Amino acid sequence: MTTAFIFPGQGSQAVGMGRALADAHPAAARVFAEVDDALGQPLSRLMFDGPEAELTLTSNAQPALMAVSLAALRVLEAEAGLDLRSGASYLAGHSLGEYSALAAAGTFSVAEAARLLRLRGDAMQAAVPVGQGAMAALIGVEPEAAAAIAADAAAGEVCDVANDNGGGQVVLSGSAAAVDRAVAIAKARGVKRAVLLAVSAPFHCALMRPAADAMAEALDAAEVADSALPVVANVLARPVDTAGEIVGCLVGQVCGTVRWRESIAWMAGAGVTRFVEVGSGKVLSGLVKRIAPAAATLNVGTPDDVARFIEAAASGA
């Protein structure tokens, strides 16, 4: 069985995430302590106890989700004997999850990834004044049709494809008025569902250019190593492993489309038959089932999930 490990992005956060892992496994608790120290903030307390509104803030949610993913991964290494170099063929992460994947591959330390994600969250939030941007999800639409809707809605403003998630789910992002027009156009063209999303900023569109510039500067100053495993980059939908390629993709990702459908399809085409989602929630596993229905999926975010992973490994599944 050929396995890829995948890491979730924003939207998978929930109050209480990681608590059971930290209580049951010292390896997880050490990751949370490392992130708290790196940020100079008890982020783990916010993750475990809330409040939800504060956890959902982009600058908190991004490093928090990475922390849960890496905590779960360290538990798999400690308890299941996982060695990614021999146990995984590819890694990938959705949006901020790409930083989790890169930390797992040794490109960043956990502390460096936490600091970069805090900066990324702050920069993305600051790039567009509140109320001037928006995002909308189109359900039951092909990517080409969604791109045409975005182009027709722009009318001189920004309306871009932010996420091609697969299974007929495409997210648009841009100027608030343009995204409103896109929703109306989508409904007029018979798209099954078109809804505005409750987000704090228009991620993954051209309006994020100031944030991309900030990340270029931060990544230039960061310690970035070649990855020990190929990481399928959001903006390319193919693997990269050198530090230079990785930095370029992370900068491009801020304004670029998260090509998740193509990324999963590429890995399935390269022989991946099992996708292990590491971290909070099961969003990516649901998307995988729509994109590559023949592939098996497994989630690891709780002690029970760890036990199931160990059982599956013992049975050869």
Side-chain angles (χ1 to χ4, degrees), residues 184-284:
I185 292 169
K187 291 177 178 177
R189 293 183 184 177
V191 172
K192 181 178 178 182
R193 193 171 176 217
V195 294
L196 291 171
L197 299 177
V199 295
S200 59
F203 306 123
H204 299 293
C205 75
L207 296 177
M208 288 285 110
R209 175 52 54 193
D213 293 341
M215 290 313 299
E217 183 177 347
L219 286 161
D220 184 59
E223 293 187 19
V224 184
D226 294 347
S227 63
L229 285 161
V231 176
V232 177
N234 286 182
V235 295
L236 298 179
R238 66 167 176 79
V240 296
D241 57 13
T242 66
E245 282 185 299
I246 288 164
V247 168
C249 287
L250 290 177
V251 174
Q253 185 214 70
V254 177
C255 295
T257 302
V258 176
R259 296 167 61 184
W260 192 250
R261 173 184 57 86
E262 294 172 89
S263 296
I264 296 298
W266 189 94
M267 287 184 277
V272 172
T273 55
R274 181 177 71 158
F275 291 86
V276 180
E277 182 175 2
V278 185
S280 178
K282 301 179 180 180
V283 171
L284 298 185

Side-chain angles (χ1 to χ4, degrees), residues 39 58-59 62-63 99 112-126 210-219:
L39 298 179
T58 300
S59 61
Q62 294 199 22
Y99 285 79
E112 187 79 274
R115 288 189 289 266
L116 286 168
L117 285 170
R118 167 56 55 78
L119 189 152
R120 182 178 184 267
D122 286 340
M124 293 174 89
Q125 189 61 62
D213 293 341
M215 290 313 299
E217 183 177 347
L219 286 161

Side-chain angles (χ1 to χ4, degrees), residues 1-6 73 76-77 80-91 228-230 272-276 278 298 309 313 317:
M1 179 175 288
T2 303
T3 301
F5 282 70
I6 55 178
L73 185 67
L76 290 181
E77 293 169 345
L82 174 68
D83 180 353
L84 279 183
R85 293 183 189 228
S86 59
S89 295
Y90 301 99
L91 307 178
L229 285 161
V272 172
T273 55
R274 181 177 71 158
F275 291 86
V276 180
V278 185
L298 190 64
F309 182 94

